[in-house]
Amino acid sequence: MSNPKAIKIPYGRQNIDQSDIDAVISTLKSDFLTQGPKIKEFEEKFAKYVGAKYAVSLSNATSALHLSVLALGLKKGDRVITSPITFAATANCARFVGAEVWFADIDPKTYLIDLNEVKKLIESKPKGFFKGIIPVDFAGLPVDTEKLRKLANKHDLWIIEDACHAPGGYYIDSSGNKQMCGNGHFNDIGIFSFHPVKHIACGEGGMITTNSKFLYEKVSLLRSHGISKFNMTQNHGNWYYEMKELGFNYRLTDIQASLGISQLSKNKNGVIRRDEIAEKYKSRFDSKIKYQQLPLNSFNAHHLFVIQTDNRKELYDHLISKGIFVQIHYIPIHMLPYYRKIGYEDANLKYAENYYNKCISLPMFPALKDKEVDYIIKSVNNYVNKKT
Ligand SMILES: *Cc1c(COP(=O)(O)O)cnc(C)c1O
């Protein structure tokens, strides 16, 4: 059955216009498809946007997470804390280097890692037991990194803020300063993704942001085979370079960076539109529908708009049948077969599991039309009131 008029609304979608296409074409006609000037331009503009000193572009956010834990010195047998409600890569980066992942349960109101649970977990172990924390700005809601930093400092822990959902998100700290997600102020490293379902589409792509010169230089080296032409121990001639560490090829291309630059320039309006859609959802949903609670001092960048309902499976099937391609974010990491196999079978994370049993991500992207938003709201409300 093919009906060209059939409604088909995805949960997220990139928004590519003529200026994006022109930007890519101009790079294709230039001298550099990779390792050229667009990389630096994208990094500088991105660092400025989030308010960090340095930014390093990478092939994706997973490679950004991998290099981050390497640069911070995470090793086999070390332990890190993260949230069970995130994309698998957030936890996997610790496994890449043989470290253990410990989960702290989520706050059932914000769906973010519960900082009181993090504190309890840290204080239940001797000093030095954990090396770092990887909080996630889940769905686009900023983690309170100011509070987390105080705790981390007390226990000598680093913080990698996984801000893949949150370019453009921010909160106001206790001194009244605006803290953009991933800005490097209360975290050591911020992580961003440029997968098309995220705010800024490069096809594939990622970014590390930091205020630390040391971390900036270290991840820059590891991104490109560990090879450098600076600070060399010998000099055989002008061709000479040294491989100082075992690095990777985790580079972004200039083609992708030129798309990223063009996309970044639209993110400011993009998050405003996302917020408009979120407000519409919230003001018009039936009161039986629960959604993520926003602390007063925060601006949610809204990668996702998650609702919770008791009849999740039925509502999911219903919305799909209406052409609304909702998704589930996420299956808790400790429940994934790989993690069950390595010993997380009995993890006691009841808020994460309870959240998972009820959550559905509704369509959320700037190009979503008002008429589509109305249709989604009507479909959800009708179902909840059994008027279908
Ligand atoms: C998308 C995502 C990643 C991984 O991003 P890639 O660019 O696809 O590697 C990591 N963490 C979170 C929270 C994500 O949403």
Side-chain angles (χ1 to χ4, degrees):
M1 202 180 74
S2 91
N3 172 4
K5 286 227 178 91
I7 293 169
K8 228 180 152 176
I9 311 174
Y11 85 91
R13 185 176 169 22
Q14 74 275 14
N15 189 14
I16 303 290
D17 65 18
Q18 193 58 44
S19 64
D20 295 310
I21 294 166
D22 292 345
V24 171
I25 289 172
S26 113
T27 300
L28 285 171
K29 291 178 174 168
S30 77
D31 289 340
F32 293 96
L33 301 187
T34 191
Q35 294 180 283
K38 288 292 164 190
I39 295 294
K40 194 152 189 275
E41 184 185 338
F42 187 30
E43 291 173 345
E44 283 173 3
K45 287 186 167 154
F46 196 86
K48 189 158 177 242
Y49 179 67
V50 304
K53 266 197 198 137
Y54 308 102
V56 181
S57 61
L58 283 310
S59 51
N60 52 57
T62 304
S63 52
L65 284 160
H66 186 194
L67 294 196
S68 297
V69 295
L70 284 173
L72 287 159
L74 194 69
K75 307 182 301 298
K76 190 169 165 56
D78 287 345
R79 301 171 196 92
V80 301
I81 298 171
T82 191
S83 170
I85 298 296
T86 180
F87 184 60
T90 313
N92 292 350
C93 68
R95 302 296 306 145
F96 294 164
V97 298
E100 286 177 18
V101 182
W102 289 58
F103 297 106
D105 210 348
I106 60 164
D107 176 332
K109 291 199 190 72
T110 62
Y111 317 157
L112 301 181
I113 195 168
D114 184 336
L115 299 190
N116 294 322
E117 289 298 314
V118 173
K119 185 165 185 276
K120 268 196 250 166
L121 187 56
I122 293 172
E123 290 177 352
S124 71
K125 301 289 176 193
K127 200 164 172 146
F129 190 85
F130 295 107
K131 292 285 188 273
I133 313 169
I134 314 180
V136 181
D137 301 313
F138 179 74
L141 184 62
V143 163
D144 186 344
T145 47
E146 181 182 24
K147 189 168 168 192
L148 190 59
R149 182 85 259 172
K150 283 188 192 135
L151 182 66
N153 282 352
K154 235 198 234 167
H155 298 272
D156 290 333
L157 303 171
W158 46 252
I159 300 171
I160 297 174
E161 180 183 358
D162 185 336
C164 285
H165 295 185
Y170 63 84
Y171 69 94
I172 307 297
D173 72 14
S174 64
S175 317
N177 295 319
K178 181 171 169 177
Q179 299 295 345
M180 292 282 285
C181 291
N183 70 358
H185 190 73
F186 291 121
N187 55 46
D188 295 281
I189 281 178
I191 302 286
F192 295 88
S193 168
F194 307 129
H195 182 280
V197 91
K198 309 284 164 71
H199 292 60
I200 295 162
C202 287
E204 297 283 353
M207 194 75 85
I208 284 175
T209 49
T210 184
N211 283 349
S212 156
K213 187 158 187 273
F214 170 80
L215 291 173
Y216 166 69
E217 286 174 352
K218 188 98 178 170
V219 294
S220 301
L221 191 64
L222 290 172
R223 169 177 67 175
S224 223
H225 310 281
I227 287 174
S228 166
K229 289 197 109 182
F230 298 108
N231 302 322
M232 291 187 289
T233 57
Q234 300 175 31
N235 188 1
H236 303 177
N238 279 343
W239 67 85
Y240 186 68
Y241 61 81
E242 288 186 338
M243 189 191 118
K244 296 170 180 294
E245 303 214 25
L246 186 62
F248 303 84
N249 178 355
Y250 281 171
R251 293 186 300 259
L252 192 73
T253 66
D254 279 57
I255 306 166
Q256 293 164 314
S258 57
L259 182 53
I261 293 163
S262 174
Q263 289 268 298
L264 175 62
S265 71
K266 287 173 267 204
N267 196 53
K268 201 170 168 189
N269 288 333
V271 292
I272 291 171
R273 174 62 184 153
R274 285 170 188 270
D275 197 46
E276 220 173 73
I277 295 166
E279 287 308 314
K280 218 168 173 186
Y281 278 151
K282 288 198 264 190
S283 66
R284 288 178 40 205
F285 276 141
D286 186 277
S287 59
K288 290 188 201 85
I289 296 293
K290 291 203 202 82
Y291 43 82
Q292 189 176 31
Q293 297 298 303
L294 181 70
L296 278 177
N297 58 351
S298 297
F299 179 81
N300 191 330
H302 288 301
H303 163 52
L304 302 173
F305 192 92
V306 180
I307 59 169
Q308 288 197 75
T309 159
D310 290 334
N311 305 53
R312 193 270 303 277
K313 188 161 188 311
E314 293 78 5
L315 179 58
Y316 174 90
D317 291 339
H318 173 71
L319 293 175
I320 299 279
S321 79
K322 294 273 173 197
I324 303 168
F325 286 83
V326 292
Q327 263 288 6
I328 305 302
H329 298 96
Y330 292 93
I331 302 166
I333 296 186
H334 66 281
M335 293 170 69
L336 300 170
Y338 166 79
Y339 282 92
R340 287 211 310 261
K341 209 168 57 199
I342 62 169
Y344 293 82
E345 198 97 56
D346 302 322
N348 177 23
L349 298 156
K350 65 170 192 282
Y351 287 119
E353 292 181 21
N354 187 43
Y355 162 86
Y356 169 58
N357 289 332
K358 297 182 174 185
C359 68
I360 299 185
S361 305
L362 298 180
M364 172 54 82
F365 53 95
L368 197 60
K369 297 188 186 77
D370 283 336
K371 257 180 30 202
E372 292 172 320
V373 176
D374 292 341
Y375 174 73
I376 295 160
I377 293 169
K378 206 172 92 196
S379 304
V380 170
N381 284 346
N382 280 352
Y383 180 80
V384 170
N385 292 311
K386 299 287 177 209
K387 279 195 219 133
T388 52

